[in-house]
Amino acid sequence: NLLSLLSILTFNRFLVSVVGQSKLLCFDIPVPHKLRLLQDSASEFSMNGESLSEQNGFHQIAFHYKTNHHLIINTKSISYRNGQDNVEFLWGQEPTQYNTDSVSLVVLENEMNVTMGNIGVVILSHKKDGVKFLWPAIWQYSKDANLTGVLGKADISYEETEGSQTPTLKIKDKEVKTSLETVSDYRLHSTPVRECWLVPFQAMMEAEISDFTVTQL
């Protein structure tokens, strides 16, 4: 049955805001995958995420900071260790805060605020069709940080090309065929539906998906 095949989720769709443009860009990455979501080599920070086949978002996200800070978040629980403390949190418990050595963790009912050095990320816990999943939203980073990773592309820009039959954008001096799609924005709890120009991953990132995959979280 073609309809049931189409309804099986085969990718995660990521949104990218573009300065000066009303429409966002978006790109797809097939699931399942283990991805380097964000990395700042200078501050020894990295965030990786693992997705399962046929499911939205991520079922596990891992943070590493310096040599000794490790945070593993999954859809059931949260585990943090720093060489001295091992701390466990549960989703849905009373709001909890934990601070140590330039690391701040705040666990709320269905989101977790993580600050490590100059980088701040919110991990949102969503539920769709009875299945829980996680989604990261970056809210703070140093402007001079050289961020890499799937979510690290901060300087992207585009222009709409007039007059072509297929909608076309100009990205990095290259013409890229596109289509206008709608996508749920999981970076917010309200998951508003937004319009975005869907572009190939390679055109956006100037790299292959395999360049962003990791063998372990």
Side-chain angles (χ1 to χ4, degrees), residues 161 167-171 174-178 198-200 203-204:
T161 305
T168 305
L169 303 179
K170 199 168 187 182
I171 299 175
K174 290 189 180 136
E175 295 210 333
V176 178
K177 288 190 172 15
T178 184
L198 180 63
V199 296
M204 170 93 80

Side-chain angles (χ1 to χ4, degrees), residues 54-131:
E54 300 175 23
Q55 285 188 15
N56 277 303
F58 297 90
H59 87 109
Q60 190 156 271
I61 293 176
F63 290 79
H64 305 286
Y65 178 57
K66 307 292 186 192
T67 52
N68 56 330
H69 298 276
H70 304 282
L71 174 67
I72 307 287
I73 304 172
N74 63 37
T75 52
K76 293 191 176 70
S77 64
I78 297 149
S79 160
Y80 168 76
R81 57 191 168 85
N82 63 9
Q84 295 162 334
D85 297 345
N86 284 334
V87 189
E88 298 279 336
F89 308 99
L90 292 173
W91 290 108
Q93 68 179 44
E94 291 293 305
T96 308
Q97 186 158 3
Y98 178 89
N99 292 302
T100 177
D101 181 29
S102 68
V103 171
S104 166
L105 310 175
V106 181
V107 184
L108 303 171
E109 186 179 358
N110 49 14
E111 74 176 58
M112 180 171 186
N113 299 333
V114 179
T115 308
M116 293 183 166
N118 293 323
I119 297 176
V121 180
V122 178
I123 302 296
L124 295 97
S125 172
H126 290 285
K127 194 171 188 179
K128 187 174 182 183
D129 302 328
V131 178

